[in-house]
Amino acid sequence: MRLFILGGDGFVGWPTSLHLSAQGHEVVIIDNLSRRHIDVELKVESLTPIASPAERCRAWREATGKTIHWETLDVASEYSRLVELLHAWKPDAVIDFAQQRAAPYSMKTPRLKRYTVNNNVSTTHNLLCALVDAEVDAHVVHLGTMGVYGYSDTGSAIPEGYLNVEVQGGDGQRRSVDILHPTNPGSIYHATKCIDQILFAFYAKNDGMRITDLHQGIVWGTQTRETALDPRLVNRFDYDGDYGTVLNRFLVQAALGYPLTVHGTGGQTRAFIHISDTVRCIELALRHAPRRGERVKIFNQATETHRVRELAHLVHRQTGCPIDYVHNPRNEAVENDLAVINEQFLALGLNPVRLHEGLMQEVLDTVVRFKERIRRERIPCVSAWTRAHDTQLSLPPAIDDALVKQPKLDALSCIGELAS
Ligand SMILES: NC(=O)c1ccc[n+]([C@@H]2O[C@H](COP(=O)([O-])OP(=O)(O)OC[C@H]3O[C@@H](n4cnc5c(N)ncnc54)[C@H](O)[C@@H]3O)[C@@H](O)[C@H]2O)c1
């Protein structure tokens, strides 16, 4: 298949691009490098030293003989170029990772709330609109989040996207219908994923678009078989209070002997998936596209659930690092249960990598290798969900808004090389 991978430079997009290229697909990455830009703004870098886009593509060619094509483009604002690219390449499928994906970052300032909504909703809508405009019948595979369902207890396992309900008609008869599961976003970032769902339902109904929405759990791990082939192919690894995902953050803290910061009681239950399974799920979703006219296919892309304090205890047992219960900057339930149905991927043959101590050791080894690059002051999460939460945090604001307005672009100076 010929594949467009929007956001293919990111934490999930990069290993997916390599994996699908290794499988023999023709891969075109489209990315505006905004994530590298945000690194500069937040004064923190990926724990692993990621190579420039040009270097990444060159290393892949040298390691495997395969070519990954690259287009630097902002999907949220460069609509006409997007249409031109779709015309020129006519991809069979488009995988969409191109969004601002950190909940704490999306709650940081009014400017970043607006950026997150403008960027995420526009990337989704521009893609859908451009496919219709360019008359390209590509299967859209979008990365959503388990967070669209919210984390309040419903008392039952979360179904895959649709909820079966009974309604009473005017004739008094009761009928069973499937509705999109009600949304309950916990941040502005999660709210954008809820809006995406409505846009997908509309374009599937109105234009017969073939769309798969993957409600993904929190990703942990860093390397996949392909990213481990060459140091220049290494995947990014975020550990800071905005972008670091919980287990990866705990492992960084453990390597530094920095007490594991559990927010509140740590009673929040979340869904998780290892990076290698994420990549496999996307491959499975590509192979099982919905037909034209079918409703949006929704998968729960998560393989296990854990309470945050259970994860902290797991890391504590393995490393001896103490646990520090700190104020929770989020506006959320103190404790919640969570059961997730994920039968569709299991039925398609997914054999999940479960979280166990051996695998955590692999991540710990990566952390120890690059320990010198860690900036301790970037570890705490200082984005407060409301003013009331803000006043309870005794930490300085995380970023200097003056810097944000004029970000340094050094990280992007590599783009010119891509022409070679
Ligand atoms: N990482 C997780 O734990 C996780 C969990 C659930 C869902 N997801 C979803 O998976 C997707 C990928 O997440 P990730 O962790 O790889 O994020 P990431 O921030 O590492 O990567 C996103 C990529 O998209 C690019 N991008 C953003 N806006 C763009 C635009 N307007 N035009 C072009 N490129 C743009 C960025 O430069 C970056 O390379 C996101 O949609 C995210 O919401 C991630």
Side-chain angles (χ1 to χ4, degrees):
M1 276 191 256
R2 178 175 286 171
L3 305 174
F4 270 17
I5 306 196
L6 313 185
D9 189 46
F11 171 54
V12 183
W14 177 241
T16 304
S17 301
L18 298 189
H19 181 70
L20 294 172
S21 172
Q23 302 290 305
H25 299 290
E26 185 174 14
V27 169
V28 182
I29 288 181
I30 296 179
D31 201 296
N32 66 350
L33 304 185
S34 53
R35 183 65 195 85
R36 292 179 186 241
H37 204 133
I38 291 170
D39 276 343
V40 178
E41 170 194 323
L42 294 179
K43 299 186 198 156
V44 66
E45 284 180 302
S46 160
L47 170 74
T48 47
I50 52 172
S52 70
E55 198 55 38
R56 281 183 149 185
C57 293
R58 193 175 305 126
W60 182 242
R61 209 163 38 236
E62 286 169 15
T64 64
K66 294 179 188 297
T67 299
I68 287 182
H69 307 276
W70 192 292
E71 295 285 343
T72 303
L73 174 123
D74 184 345
V75 182
S77 65
E78 294 181 81
Y79 177 78
S80 305
R81 257 195 80 208
L82 178 63
V83 174
E84 278 165 27
L85 286 175
L86 288 168
H87 262 305
W89 288 89
K90 299 196 172 31
D92 301 295
V94 180
I95 308 170
D96 183 12
F97 299 100
Q99 300 205 314
Q100 190 302 98
R101 68 98 171 141
Y105 185 81
S106 78
M107 299 300 294
K108 234 175 179 39
T109 65
R111 193 185 69 80
L112 295 180
K113 288 179 185 173
R114 292 170 52 243
Y115 162 69
T116 301
V117 170
N118 293 343
N119 185 65
N120 292 6
V121 177
S122 294
T123 54
T124 301
H125 188 249
N126 279 357
L127 171 63
L128 298 172
C129 188
L131 284 165
V132 175
D133 200 354
E135 298 182 6
V136 172
D137 175 29
H139 173 205
V140 173
V141 178
H142 172 260
L143 272 287
T145 164
M146 285 297 302
V148 295
Y149 301 116
Y151 293 112
S152 54
D153 291 335
T154 58
S156 60
I158 293 182
E160 303 201 64
Y162 298 95
L163 187 65
N164 185 259
V165 296
E166 238 186 40
V167 290
Q168 187 166 335
D171 56 3
Q173 296 288 319
R174 296 189 78 78
R175 294 185 189 81
S176 149
V177 288
D178 278 352
I179 57 167
L180 259 182
H181 192 286
T183 56
N184 184 10
S187 72
I188 287 294
Y189 154 70
H190 291 104
T192 67
K193 298 287 187 184
C194 300
I195 297 169
D196 286 345
Q197 290 199 98
I198 310 288
L199 292 171
F200 293 142
F202 176 76
Y203 275 89
K205 180 186 72 172
N206 194 64
D207 300 281
M209 284 185 65
R210 296 174 299 126
I211 302 172
T212 300
D213 199 7
L214 303 173
H215 288 179
Q216 185 170 246
I218 299 170
V219 181
W220 68 280
T222 179
Q223 294 280 61
T224 60
R225 193 169 46 203
E226 290 84 15
T227 63
L229 284 177
D230 184 295
R232 293 168 295 167
L233 297 174
V234 73
N235 197 14
R236 65 173 300 125
F237 186 114
D238 297 307
Y239 65 90
D240 60 286
D242 288 299
Y243 275 88
T245 53
V246 60
L247 183 58
N248 284 0
R249 268 163 59 73
F250 283 165
L251 292 169
V252 164
Q253 292 178 289
L256 290 181
Y258 184 119
L260 311 174
T261 43
V262 172
H263 293 165
T265 65
Q268 309 89 331
T269 311
R270 296 290 183 261
F272 292 88
I273 185 165
H274 188 263
I275 185 82
S276 312
D277 281 341
T278 282
V279 165
R280 275 187 224 117
C281 286
I282 292 163
E283 188 189 350
L284 288 170
L286 275 177
R287 282 207 232 129
H288 297 88
R291 290 183 303 277
R292 271 184 91 76
E294 219 178 291
R295 73 182 183 184
V296 176
K297 225 176 191 178
I298 302 179
F299 292 80
N300 287 344
Q301 188 165 301
T303 54
E304 53 196 314
T305 59
H306 294 279
R307 281 190 199 277
V308 169
R309 64 170 171 261
E310 284 168 13
L311 294 179
H313 282 291
L314 202 64
V315 175
H316 167 72
R317 277 201 302 278
Q318 198 181 353
T319 63
C321 188
I323 297 172
D324 189 12
Y325 288 87
V326 299
H327 173 70
N328 188 358
R330 298 187 183 218
N331 190 4
E332 63 182 0
V334 176
E335 307 253 329
N336 71 287
D337 288 321
L338 179 68
V340 178
I341 295 174
N342 65 347
E343 286 162 0
Q344 296 182 98
F345 274 130
L346 297 179
L348 294 178
L350 179 72
N351 183 13
V353 172
R354 302 260 186 228
L355 198 158
H356 59 75
E357 293 176 10
L359 262 171
M360 288 200 310
Q361 187 59 47
E362 187 210 340
V363 182
L364 266 176
D365 291 344
T366 305
V367 174
V368 170
R369 237 173 89 215
F370 298 109
K371 206 170 144 183
E372 300 311 314
R373 292 170 54 84
I374 297 173
R375 297 193 57 182
R376 292 176 74 97
E377 73 280 12
R378 288 290 157 212
I379 290 177
C381 181
V382 293
S383 289
W385 258 232
T386 65
R387 291 231 165 97
H389 287 76
D390 202 10
T391 53
Q392 292 177 62
L393 288 169
S394 57
L395 294 156
I399 52 167
D400 172 357
D401 224 36
L403 181 83
V404 172
K405 283 174 196 142
Q406 295 179 327
K408 292 197 188 107
L409 294 177
D410 321 13
L412 311 186
S413 58
C414 47
I415 301 170
E417 282 185 62
L418 286 168
S420 61

